[in-house]
Amino acid sequence: MLSSTDRLVEALKSTPAVQRFAEASHRFETDPDVRSIVDALQRFQRVQQSGGMSERELEAARDAQARFRNNGVVQSFIAAQGAVQSLLQEANRVVSETLGLDFAQTGGPAGGGC
């Protein structure tokens, strides 16, 4: 027999938003063009952190950022991520109203001192 938590998780997993996110996430992680752009951006970040970039490197980094933003796989991933975040916020709202407390806040790790 499934617990209430298991039923909630299964219900969320069966939503189109979560299914689209899973598919978009897989494409994002495995697309060779996206991987290439991400690798380039990470290289530029390391160069910048180690002492700055030349004007040529800066221009190449801007080009990589533009290719990243304009990539269809990236755009689909970002849209799917936004949709699943909205779904989870709504689920949190409903659960919180039912419990009479902020479910997302109380579900996190216990707070400590400073």
Side-chain angles (χ1 to χ4, degrees):
M1 175 176 227
L2 291 177
S3 72
S4 297
T5 304
D6 292 332
R7 287 193 304 271
L8 175 61
V9 168
E10 290 305 314
L12 289 170
K13 285 169 60 176
S14 70
T15 63
V18 170
Q19 291 172 357
R20 277 192 303 273
F21 176 72
E23 292 165 5
S25 181
H26 177 73
R27 282 191 307 274
F28 181 85
E29 293 171 5
T30 61
D31 184 88
D33 292 334
V34 172
R35 298 295 358 125
S36 174
I37 296 168
V38 168
D39 290 345
L41 289 170
Q42 289 172 337
R43 279 192 306 276
F44 289 126
Q45 185 177 27
R46 284 191 300 273
V47 168
Q48 185 178 25
Q49 290 173 347
S50 68
M53 289 193 263
S54 69
E55 194 60 38
R56 187 176 202 184
E57 290 169 321
L58 189 56
E59 185 60 37
R62 287 183 185 135
D63 178 60
Q65 288 171 335
R67 286 183 309 162
F68 185 80
R69 280 190 308 271
N70 295 323
N71 183 285
V73 172
V74 172
Q75 291 174 345
S76 293
F77 173 76
I78 291 170
Q81 186 178 45
V84 84
Q85 284 174 337
S86 293
L87 172 69
L88 294 175
Q89 287 171 345
E90 179 62 14
N92 177 59
R93 186 189 65 74
V94 170
V95 170
S96 293
E97 285 179 3
T98 302
L99 295 175
L101 52 90
D102 187 346
F103 178 70
Q105 287 297 319
T106 59
C114 293

